[in-house]
């Protein structure tokens, strides 16, 4: 029974618990056991909160027994990226500078999960401060891809994606700044969603690039992602950039799963040069599939998307150089060199040099450069203008079509170590995902088969700001058609853990 | 225009990063490659295009001014590297002379 429970979807588990077939505690224990079996190989978790998880599950069982109202995902276990603050678990952001830090408050999303009875199993590994595409920038070592343990699970939310793909949790939460939910979802063969910017709260999410950071769900099915999307999203007065609008009807859209008459645009700038042939083959098949399901497909050019990658690697580091100034060794976190003679500034500099990893240092210095007097106009200022042009490309495209599609990532999961000291090669992993971050619109990655190397490929679906329901509608249609054609779920083919 | 090692050392000082010489050398080479790559944004004709700092523009965001409890001193100091007399103890910020 325990093994079967970990194979179930979040929707299936919620229904089984509601019907009294299984308790929340049994569900939680089954997943804790799976983590015990598998996580020494996957290393998805930085911290497993066994006692807190079991306590949360027992509370759900008690509420249910007492006939009290429960949320749609009450009792369902979840893997939470270690960038969300949690008062009862450490929050490290994958950084030595925050090793062991216990935040004094919960993130809004943490609070919403707790209020909805979602069981937080623990905190998952990530590239340090969410900067990276492989989890190799974690100070605590990389996570491994459940499809092939010698390969990266993507990043920066690689721990949450790997936990979901390894059946350690049916649900995960990540954050997407340049692709950090969709890219790991694609290379781990799971569903990942970047909601509209401001659709999910950033309060209590340790900031990387504030104008881009978007928390979102990871799951094994589109419907499960939609259920979590509704639990975690919505206006938050504690986040000044939170959008004060109703959450789009994503669960209904995932159930609808119908694309007949929908206008779908293929973006040539994101589905050609730089993409592996195996990725492009699965992508073309997915587009043909959508056409066979009744969608109207056209090519829609977005000429400035070619400049999204360089614009992003100026804007994100600029914001990061400012945001990470808060790690000053004074009020919390690591402090190095405070020997009674060193000045505050010396202690700050020693602490930051020791506490930050190589990629974080690179980005802080790059951002400091792009913002410095004399370079500002040519770098940061110009990147902000390119951002405007990218938004205009999206606006023009969405006048012609309802959604845009592309591969989620140019390649399948690459081997651990391959790109770790080659920043530009690592940055290219975000090629297709960055435009939606710069424009703040909604985007989803859904598995669309395996490349000839036996590794999963993701289809990216992009929709206008606050039209998040459309990405679920299309994603669910693709998922249903592919599952039915294949006769089983894609993840049943994952070999890394068999 | 290649970025000089002295410029990188200056950036490190501005960034409050006390980097060792080998680390500076390594970073200088990498930053040069990255900056050359991101400089591609300068190819874009953007005359008269307004900059975007935020994808979903919002202005004058306020919330209700309601009284809530704040952290206690013990909670606020719980993660402090050093505490003295219920305060954050910090290294000296002024020269001693």
């Amino acid at each position: 029974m325990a093994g079967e429970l970990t194979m179930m979807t979040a929707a299936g588990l919620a229904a089984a618990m509601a019907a009294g077939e299984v308790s929340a505690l049994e569900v939680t224990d089954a997943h804790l056991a799976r983590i015990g079996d598998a996580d020494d190989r996957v290393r998805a978790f930085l911290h497993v909160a066994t006692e807190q998880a079991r306590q949360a599950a027992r509370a759900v069982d008690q509420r249910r027994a007492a006939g009290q109202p429960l949320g749609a995902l009450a009792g369902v276990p979840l893997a939470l990226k270690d960038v969300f603050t949690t008062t009862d678990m450490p929050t490290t952001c994958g950084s030595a500078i925050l090793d062991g830090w216990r935040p004094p408050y919960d993130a809004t999303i943490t609070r919403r999960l707790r209020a909805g009875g979602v069981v937080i199993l623990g905190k998952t590994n990530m590239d340090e401060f969410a900067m990276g595409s492989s989890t190799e920038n974690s100070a605590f070592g990389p996570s491994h891809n459940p499809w092939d343990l010698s390969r990266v699970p993507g990043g920066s939310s690689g721990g949450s994606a790997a936990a979901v793909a390894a059946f350690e949790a049916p649900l995960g939460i990540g954050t997407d700044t340049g692709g950090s939910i969709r890219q790991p979802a694609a290379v781990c063969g799971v569903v990942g969603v970047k909601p509209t910017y401001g659709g999910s709260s950033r309060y209590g999410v340790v900031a990387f690039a504030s104008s881009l950071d978007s928390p979102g769900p990871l799951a094994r099915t589109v419907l499960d992602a939609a259920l979590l999307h509704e639990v975690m999203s919505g206006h938050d007065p504690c986040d000044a950039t939170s959008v004060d609008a109703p959450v789009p009807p994503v669960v209904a859209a995932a159930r609808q799963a119908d694309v007949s008459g929908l206008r779908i645009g293929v973006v040539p700038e994101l589905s050609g040069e730089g993409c592996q042939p195996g990725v492009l083959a699965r992508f073309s098949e997915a587009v043909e599939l959508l056409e066979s399901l009744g969608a109207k497909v056209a090519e829609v050019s977005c000429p400035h998307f070619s400049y999204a990658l360089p614009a992003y690697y100026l804007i994100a580091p600029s914001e990061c150089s400012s945001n990470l100034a808060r790690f000053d060794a004074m009020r919390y976190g690591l402090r190095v060199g405070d020997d009674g003679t060193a000045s505050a500034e010396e202690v700050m500099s020693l602490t930051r040099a020791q506490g930050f990893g190589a990629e974080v240092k690179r980005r802080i210095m790059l951002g400091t450069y792009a913002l410095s007097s004399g370079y500002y106009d040519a770098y940061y200022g110009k990147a902000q203008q390119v951002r405007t042009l990218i938004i205009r490309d999206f606006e023009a495209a969405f006048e012609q079509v309802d959604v845009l599609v592309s591969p989620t990532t140019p390649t399948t999961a690459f081997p651990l170590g391959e790109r770790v000291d080659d920043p530009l090669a690592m940055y290219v992993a975000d090629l297709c995902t960055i435009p939606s971050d710069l424009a703040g619109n909604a985007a989803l990655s859904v598995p669309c088969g395996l490349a000839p190397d036996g590794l999963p490929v993701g289809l990216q679906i992009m929709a206008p700001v606050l039209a998040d329901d459309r990405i679920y509608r299309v994603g669910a249609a693709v998922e249903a058609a592919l599952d039915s054609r294949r006769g089983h779920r894609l993840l049943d083919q994952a070999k890394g853990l068999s | 225009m290649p970025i000089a090692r002295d410029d990188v050392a200056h950036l490190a000082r501005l960034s409050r990063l006390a980097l060792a010489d080998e680390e500076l050398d390594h970073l200088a080479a990498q930053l040069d490659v990255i900056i050359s790559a991101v400089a591609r944004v300068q190819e874009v004709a953007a005359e008269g295009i307004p900059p975007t700092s935020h994808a979903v523009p919002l202005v004058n965001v306020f919330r209700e001014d309601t009284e809530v409890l704040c952290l206690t001193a013990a909670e606020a100091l719980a993660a402090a590297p050093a505490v003295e007399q219920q305060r954050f103890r910090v290294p000296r910020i002024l020269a001693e002379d």
Side-chain angles (χ1 to χ4, degrees):
Chain A
M1 186 65 184
E4 288 166 35
L5 290 175
T6 57
M7 301 297 283
M8 288 170 70
T9 63
L13 287 168
M17 286 184 276
E21 291 161 19
V22 63
S23 72
L25 187 59
E26 288 169 306
V27 170
T28 292
D29 281 343
H31 286 90
L32 289 169
R34 173 65 180 164
I35 293 168
D37 286 344
D39 213 49
D40 59 335
R41 287 168 289 164
V42 180
R43 300 195 177 279
F45 284 87
L46 290 176
H47 179 80
V48 180
T50 304
E51 279 320 304
Q52 294 93 322
R54 299 192 78 227
Q55 198 179 326
R58 271 194 295 263
V60 168
D61 287 334
Q62 281 159 11
R63 285 182 66 92
R64 200 184 304 279
Q68 291 170 341
L70 287 165
L73 292 173
V76 178
L78 176 140
L80 186 61
K81 186 177 183 177
D82 204 22
V83 72
F84 292 87
T85 56
T86 44
T87 52
D88 57 348
M89 304 171 203
T91 300
T92 69
C93 299
S95 182
I97 213 163
L98 283 180
D99 195 3
W101 182 51
R102 297 259 175 171
Y105 70 106
D106 274 340
T108 294
I109 286 175
T110 306
R111 278 196 284 112
R112 287 189 178 159
L113 294 172
R114 295 195 206 274
V118 177
V119 174
I120 301 170
L121 293 170
K123 306 294 288 291
T124 56
N125 197 18
M126 56 186 283
D127 287 295
E128 185 177 10
F129 290 109
M131 298 174 204
S133 306
S134 70
T135 70
E136 291 167 296
N137 296 333
S138 168
F140 308 106
S143 302
H144 298 256
N145 192 312
W147 288 81
D148 176 347
L149 295 170
S150 72
R151 289 175 186 266
V152 303
S156 66
S157 312
S160 286
V164 171
F167 296 90
E168 295 176 342
L171 298 172
I173 287 184
T175 53
D176 196 309
T177 303
S180 281
I181 293 173
R182 291 162 287 158
Q183 185 260 357
V187 302
C188 286
V190 302
V191 178
V193 179
K194 184 202 97 65
T196 293
Y197 176 83
S200 53
S201 169
R202 292 188 299 107
Y203 183 71
V205 180
V206 179
F208 158 19
S210 304
S211 82
L212 303 162
D213 297 342
S214 301
L218 291 133
R220 290 193 292 267
T221 70
V222 174
L223 177 62
D224 281 3
L227 288 164
L228 180 55
H229 188 126
E230 287 199 354
V231 169
M232 66 187 281
S233 306
H235 182 240
D236 177 15
C238 294
D239 173 1
T241 59
S242 173
V243 175
D244 193 0
V247 179
V250 294
V251 171
R255 292 211 163 100
Q256 184 189 10
D258 170 26
V259 294
S260 55
L262 206 72
R263 298 168 303 163
I264 295 179
V266 173
V267 186
E269 287 81 4
L270 302 181
S271 47
E273 203 185 326
C275 291
Q276 277 174 352
V279 169
L280 288 177
R282 292 298 86 77
F283 172 66
S284 304
E285 287 166 14
V287 172
E288 284 164 27
L289 176 71
L290 284 163
E291 217 160 9
S292 76
L293 294 172
K296 293 179 201 145
V297 177
E299 190 167 278
V300 181
S301 177
C302 295
H304 297 98
F305 283 17
S306 312
Y307 295 95
L309 193 75
Y312 173 85
Y313 277 101
L314 287 163
I315 291 169
S318 295
E319 294 189 24
C320 120
S321 70
S322 166
N323 270 325
L324 270 63
R326 65 168 54 84
F327 299 103
D328 58 7
M330 298 300 138
R331 291 152 300 152
Y332 56 94
L334 186 70
R335 181 183 285 184
V336 176
D338 185 14
D339 58 4
T341 65
S343 71
E345 196 173 311
E346 284 162 345
V347 168
M348 229 178 259
S349 303
L350 287 166
T351 302
R352 289 162 62 82
Q354 188 175 315
F356 290 141
E359 179 63 17
V360 171
K361 289 177 193 168
R362 274 193 288 267
R363 294 209 196 179
I364 289 174
M365 290 173 66
L366 180 59
T368 304
Y369 179 81
L371 292 174
S372 39
S373 155
Y375 298 104
Y376 183 98
D377 290 341
Y379 290 97
Y380 183 65
K382 196 68 191 253
Q384 286 187 304
Q385 288 179 303
V386 172
R387 190 172 184 181
T388 305
L389 292 167
I390 287 164
I391 292 171
R392 290 183 182 176
D393 278 0
F394 268 119
E395 285 169 352
F398 288 131
E399 280 175 15
Q400 301 169 59
V401 294
D402 301 303
V403 297
L404 293 168
V405 292
S406 76
T408 308
T409 58
T411 71
T412 54
F414 46 89
L416 284 157
E418 189 183 81
R419 304 187 187 180
V420 76
D421 203 34
D422 184 353
L424 284 183
M426 190 71 91
Y427 296 171
V428 171
D430 297 335
L431 184 73
C432 308
T433 45
I434 280 173
S436 291
D437 290 291
L438 291 174
N441 58 22
L444 170 148
S445 179
V446 62
C448 65
L450 301 181
D453 57 11
L455 295 166
V457 176
L459 168 71
Q460 177 176 233
I461 303 151
M462 298 165 271
V465 165
L466 289 176
D468 303 42
D469 48 319
R470 287 187 207 166
I471 57 179
Y472 283 95
R473 189 175 150 195
V474 179
V478 170
E479 176 186 71
L482 287 175
D483 280 0
S484 132
R485 182 184 288 182
R486 202 185 294 119
H488 59 83
R489 294 187 300 182
L490 185 73
L491 270 169
D492 296 342
Q493 287 166 257
K495 291 195 176 65
L497 290 170
S498 56
Chain B
M1 185 182 67
I3 179 164
R5 194 181 179 284
D6 282 354
D7 296 336
V8 178
H10 179 61
L11 285 176
R13 275 194 300 278
L14 291 176
S15 307
R16 301 293 182 268
L17 291 166
L19 301 181
D21 281 349
E22 317 83 80
E23 206 173 359
L24 263 184
D25 291 336
H26 194 61
L27 267 168
Q30 288 182 330
L31 282 175
D32 192 44
V33 172
I34 297 169
I35 289 167
S36 314
V38 294
R40 275 191 62 225
V41 294
Q42 291 156 11
E43 296 168 11
V44 180
E47 191 76 25
I49 301 294
T52 296
S53 62
H54 231 261
V56 183
L58 295 166
V59 287
N60 296 344
V61 176
F62 298 106
R63 61 178 161 80
E64 288 302 312
D65 186 18
T66 43
E67 285 178 35
V68 291
L69 290 175
C70 63
L71 296 178
T72 63
E75 286 166 340
L77 292 166
V83 175
E84 200 174 303
Q85 295 174 5
Q86 222 184 53
R87 290 171 175 81
F88 295 101
R89 192 184 64 72
V90 300
R92 66 179 170 81
I93 53 171
L94 298 170
E96 282 183 44
D97 52 21

